[in-house]
Each structure stands twice: as structure tokens, then as C-alpha cells.
Amino acid sequence: SAPSLAVVGVTGAVGQEFLSVLSDRDFPYSSVKMLASKRSAGKRVAFDGREYTVEELTAESFDGVDIALFSAGGSISKEFGPLAAEKGTIVVDNSSAFRMVDGVPLVIPEVNPEAMKGIKVGMGKGALIANPNCSTIICLMAVTPLHHHAKVKRMVVSTYQAASGAGAAAMEELVQQTREVLEGKPPTCNIFGQQYAFNLFSHNAPILDNGYNEEEMKLVKETRKIWNDTEVKVTATCIRVPVMRAHAESVNLQFENPLDENTAREILKKAPGVYIIDDRASNTFPTPLDVSNKDDVAVGRIRRDVSQDGDFGLDIFVCGDQIRKGAALNAVQIAEMLL
Ligand code: 11C
């Protein structure tokens, strides 16, 4: 029979997207609990033509729940994720809480479905499965097919990250600031503590002792775990740009084996969940708007890296919807694999 579902953090940007992706994909369910903090309890949310009342998340929320999709921040995941799993719920967690924990699969369905082998609804056992960081998902959707062909030795990622990655409030603040700046008023700076509209800045994640911010180190560590490759060299610089909901990433690749740009293009043409926008004649390449509200990741600017010898280096530019493939869609695809 169809699984019972719970959506944790249902009033947030990703929570709301969980609902539209579940609905768009006709995900089968017998019941669905809409869960959030006490603050949001009692609010009404619409799903599949019905209205639901948001319930407060408690330890009892997971009784009888087969699959729970979590996107309510790391501390909620840490508190309630293991508890839900103990009760027999399979938790697909969008936070960074369990990504690097040994034994917790970190999954992009098109990239490493084998990591969650054996985890299924109906086996009478709960589990934790982690959804990678959005920048990692979007990057690896395009890079993994190339990696399988020529093995990436080193990858340099520069990101241009949208407001949505910082949540619904950041998206609202971008709109508000844009209006304020155009009206000549001082911008309201509640989320990032600085002007965001008509500006860009280093990603707001905490800076670590090595000078990288947490977002950058997620790209480094998560790539190694997803590829099951402790050797691959990854470095990243993550930047927040005033774009609403899709991330862009410039990716420089160094390969162990040669890969010319035409072969790369053929590989990317066939890659699941990826499409190419790469028209040099008209200077048409992927943009965040091209992929906003779309499932697939766009890749372009596919070219040989002239700083490397022969065909051992490529540059590409990737755009993906942060809320969809970067979060909700990836989690729902994981949930589909549980059935
Ligand atoms: C951003 N990727 O775009 C971040 C937010 O590890 O899931 C999500 C952080 C995470 O700002």
C-alpha cells in the first residue's frame, strides 16, 4: 500500500517545494502530516487540492510514518531525525546534520543510487538518508558523467548562489531591498547584515580556521563522499549573488585521462537530468532564469582549458534550480527509490 508521509519544515521555501514536487510527480501516499515549529502550528497549507493544518513537530509526530522529508535546519534534524528513524521512519534529510556521518548515505539519485541499496519502505526499519548541499548536487549532476569517462583529478568551483539558499526570508529581503534602493531608501538588512540588492558578497556560511567558509568545504567533502573517492582534489569559492532561486557555478576540471570538448558535449547530451545550452554564435549560455522552476540542470561554456596540456582540462558553466534539484526534487527522487 502507499506510504504514509510527513513533511518537516513544511512552511519554509523547501518545505513548500516538497509539496509541489510530490504533487507534480504523483508521488503515492496514504496520508501526509504537515509538520513545523510551534510558531507555524495551526497555519493552513494546500496540497493536492486539499487544505491541511500544520501540526507542531513533537517526538510523537512520527508514529506510523513511513517516509519523512526534513527541511527545518540542522538542529531540528539532529533532534528529531534519529528519533524518527528509531520509530521505523525513513528520514530524507535536507540539512547538513548527517551528511558526513559514516553509514548515512549521501545521495544524488542520478549519481550514486547504489549508496542507498537495501533501504526500502516496508522492511520494518527506519533509516537516515542525507540530501547533499545544493551547490554539490548542481555541480556533480554535470561533472559526474565527465568524471566517469576521464576521472577528475582536481576540480575548482566558483559559485554564484541565489537568495533561496538562505531561505524564504532572504528571498523576500532581496525584493524589499531592491525596491528600497530604487526608491532611494536605506535597504533593510536583517538577513545578511549588508546590502544584497545590486551587490554580491562572500557566502554567509561561517568561516573556518582554514579560511574557507562552510559552504566551500561542503563542496570539498561531499564530493569525496558521493564519488567514494578520497583522493579527488576539490577547491571552491562560494559567492552570494542577488538572484532569486537558481545557483550558477563555474567549474574548472583537470582529468587523469584525456577528454576533448566534443566528446564532453556528447557525454553531457546523454546525461540524465542535464541539458546543454551552449551556442557560441549567439552568446547563449545557461542562466539562473533558464533553470528557475525547472528540474534539469543546464550546462554550457564547454571548452578546453587552454592553461592545461592537451585534452586534460575543461571549463564548464552550470546552472540549477536551488530549491528544486538542489533540495526538494533530489529528496523526492530519493523517496521514490524507497518504494
Ligand atoms: C546556500 N547551500 O545556497 C546553501 C544553503 O548545507 O544545506 C544550504 C546549506 C546546506 O546558501
Side-chain angles (χ1 to χ4, degrees):
S1 66
S4 51
L5 309 180
V7 177
V8 180
V10 71
T11 53
V14 175
Q16 286 293 294
E17 199 73 19
F18 279 146
L19 299 185
S20 50
V21 174
L22 287 168
S23 183
D24 288 355
R25 295 174 76 88
D26 284 326
F27 193 94
Y29 62 93
S30 55
S31 63
V32 54
K33 277 190 188 175
M34 307 296 183
L35 302 170
S37 65
K38 198 171 184 169
R39 200 162 30 93
S40 296
K43 281 188 183 163
R44 309 281 289 166
V45 293
F47 174 55
D48 258 358
R50 264 193 62 188
E51 277 232 327
Y52 291 77
T53 304
V54 177
E55 297 170 45
E56 182 186 350
L57 172 65
T58 67
E60 284 70 49
S61 300
F62 300 99
D63 292 341
V65 170
D66 294 315
I67 301 174
L69 303 175
F70 271 63
S71 187
S75 52
I76 295 290
S77 293
K78 278 190 186 136
E79 187 179 347
F80 291 97
L83 204 145
E86 265 166 39
K87 291 197 171 186
T89 304
I90 301 177
V91 173
V92 185
D93 183 38
N94 198 53
S95 82
S96 59
F98 310 111
R99 286 180 192 150
M100 299 312 299
V101 174
D102 274 346
V104 174
L106 180 64
V107 180
I108 307 171
E110 294 88 344
V111 171
N112 62 334
E114 69 286 351
M116 52 184 280
K117 212 173 123 206
I119 307 179
K120 291 268 181 217
V121 166
M123 289 185 57
K125 249 178 48 192
L128 291 171
I129 302 172
N131 210 39
N133 179 32
C134 44
S135 303
T136 313
I137 295 176
I138 291 163
C139 177
L140 296 193
M141 281 295 289
V143 175
T144 304
L146 306 176
H147 173 60
H148 286 158
H149 188 92
K151 194 165 189 338
V152 172
K153 249 169 92 172
R154 180 166 185 264
M155 173 163 85
V156 183
V157 187
S158 306
T159 71
Y160 309 77
Q161 294 184 225
S164 56
M171 298 167 81
E172 283 158 27
E173 188 160 294
L174 176 57
V175 174
Q176 183 180 358
Q177 280 198 5
T178 304
R179 192 174 292 123
E180 287 166 340
V181 173
L182 288 174
E183 289 171 356
K185 295 180 187 154
T188 306
C189 301
N190 293 330
I191 305 293
F192 300 116
Q194 59 184 319
Q195 184 174 329
Y196 184 26
F198 305 102
N199 196 14
L200 59 81
F201 40 77
S202 182
H203 191 281
N204 47 291
I207 303 277
L208 305 166
D209 287 344
N210 65 1
Y212 283 71
N213 62 46
E214 273 183 5
E215 184 80 359
E216 291 159 352
M217 287 310 294
K218 285 173 187 173
L219 268 157
V220 174
K221 292 181 185 163
E222 293 179 18
T223 298
R224 289 184 179 152
K225 179 163 174 175
I226 293 165
W227 282 355
N228 194 17
D229 178 352
T230 51
E231 303 292 307
V232 65
K233 294 185 170 75
V234 179
T235 186
T237 301
C238 291
I239 302 294
R240 185 76 69 192
V241 298
V243 163
M244 201 51 80
R245 60 171 288 155
H247 289 354
E249 303 179 34
S250 156
V251 186
N252 175 259
L253 297 163
Q254 185 186 359
F255 298 105
E256 205 157 290
N257 304 306
L259 174 58
D260 64 76
E261 63 179 50
N262 289 329
T263 308
R265 212 167 272 120
E266 288 310 309
I267 291 168
L268 290 169
K269 251 187 219 162
K270 293 184 207 129
V274 175
Y275 71 111
I276 297 179
I277 305 177
D278 201 32
D279 183 357
R280 295 177 184 177
S282 65
N283 203 355
T284 305
F285 301 109
T287 70
L289 288 182
D290 289 324
V291 295
S292 290
N293 292 297
K294 305 249 172 71
D295 287 350
D296 291 351
V297 164
V299 57
R301 303 298 323 275
I302 303 160
R303 62 201 192 279
R304 192 178 82 81
D305 170 1
V306 296
S307 75
Q308 296 188 56
D309 294 332
D311 284 319
F312 290 89
L314 280 178
D315 280 297
I316 59 172
F317 187 66
V318 189
C319 287
D321 185 296
Q322 185 272 332
I323 316 181
R324 278 216 155 216
K325 186 57 190 169
L329 170 64
N330 197 74
V332 172
Q333 287 176 306
I334 290 173
E336 286 170 349
M337 289 173 24
L338 297 171
L339 303 180

